[in-house]
Amino acid sequence: NNNTSNISTNTASIATNTTNIAALAAEAGVNEDRIDTLEGFHTFDYAAGQSITVPSTTYSSVLSLTTPSRPAGTYVLTQSMLYSLDSTGDSAYFRFTINGGSTWTEISKEPKDTTDLTPESFSKVLVHPGGVFDIEIQSRKEALGDVLTIYDINLFVERKV
């Protein structure tokens, strides 16, 4: 009978569709897991500051960033700023730490003109074992009578791998 044949054909089609739906659902679950992994892979933490006049010849903090705990991986740390120093014979000093002050990287620059806005940036690739970043940028001027002003300072750390 035709109806019985149609029912058998439809039952077989339903079984095939059910198998296909189960396979697609499993694949969607794998893709969802991959997306969750990628979302956890990329992290971007930053701090930004406005204008600050550096008060002393002794280092003082101009910007800091403490991140939440971050997974182990390769990160890029970048700091950037504009600054002016009203002296051509003295230097502006900047230093930063990524470990709460245990070690420092120091940079000094002597401006060519007293009216220059000087860009300063530094990037460093870090292989991070995991945990918190405790980053601080400090600055000082060489001579007490100089005026060192920092504009638009930025600091960010981004996971790459």
Side-chain angles (χ1 to χ4, degrees), residues 44-47 65 76-80 135 154-158:
F44 183 83
D45 299 288
Y46 72 95
L65 172 65
V76 174
L77 167 72
T78 302
Q79 64 88 25
S80 65
I135 306 166
N154 297 283
L155 169 63
F156 67 85
V157 60
E158 182 175 18

Side-chain angles (χ1 to χ4, degrees), residues 22-38:
L24 289 172
E27 186 176 328
V30 168
N31 288 337
E32 185 175 346
D33 290 344
R34 288 179 183 153
I35 289 169
D36 289 344
T37 299
L38 288 174

Side-chain angles (χ1 to χ4, degrees), residues 26-64:
E27 186 176 328
V30 168
N31 288 337
E32 185 175 346
D33 290 344
R34 288 179 183 153
I35 289 169
D36 289 344
T37 299
L38 288 174
E39 286 174 351
F41 172 79
H42 184 261
T43 62
F44 183 83
D45 299 288
Y46 72 95
Q50 298 300 317
S51 297
I52 182 171
T53 300
V54 176
S56 170
T57 57
T58 304
Y59 275 109
S60 61
S61 183
V62 293
L63 191 64
S64 63

Side-chain angles (χ1 to χ4, degrees), residues 61-107:
S61 183
V62 293
L63 191 64
S64 63
L65 172 65
T66 302
T67 69
S69 184
R70 293 295 181 216
T74 303
Y75 291 77
V76 174
L77 167 72
T78 302
Q79 64 88 25
S80 65
M81 69 183 84
L82 290 172
Y83 74 91
S84 66
L85 179 64
D86 70 343
S87 171
T88 57
D90 296 326
S91 294
Y93 291 85
F94 308 97
R95 69 179 185 176
F96 72 91
T97 181
I98 60 169
N99 54 19
S102 296
T103 57
W104 294 89
T105 300
E106 184 178 62
I107 301 162

Side-chain angles (χ1 to χ4, degrees), residues 19-29:
T19 301
N20 290 340
I21 289 170
L24 289 172
E27 186 176 328

Side-chain angles (χ1 to χ4, degrees), residues 70-151:
R70 293 295 181 216
T74 303
Y75 291 77
V76 174
L77 167 72
T78 302
Q79 64 88 25
S80 65
M81 69 183 84
L82 290 172
Y83 74 91
S84 66
L85 179 64
D86 70 343
S87 171
T88 57
D90 296 326
S91 294
Y93 291 85
F94 308 97
R95 69 179 185 176
F96 72 91
T97 181
I98 60 169
N99 54 19
S102 296
T103 57
W104 294 89
T105 300
E106 184 178 62
I107 301 162
S108 65
K109 285 196 173 179
E110 188 175 296
K112 180 180 171 194
D113 296 313
T114 60
T115 57
D116 284 352
L117 274 180
T118 304
E120 169 60 38
S121 66
F122 182 84
S123 289
K124 181 175 185 171
V125 174
L126 306 168
V127 177
H128 184 54
V132 171
F133 282 98
D134 188 8
I135 306 166
E136 182 178 10
I137 300 173
Q138 295 183 347
S139 183
R140 72 178 180 89
K141 53 193 177 181
E142 186 172 347
L144 195 54
D146 295 342
V147 177
L148 171 58
T149 304
I150 298 173
Y151 305 94

Side-chain angles (χ1 to χ4, degrees), residues 1-13:
N1 165 336
N2 261 352
N3 287 339
T4 305
S5 176
N6 287 342
I7 290 172
S8 294
T9 301
N10 287 340
T11 301
S13 293

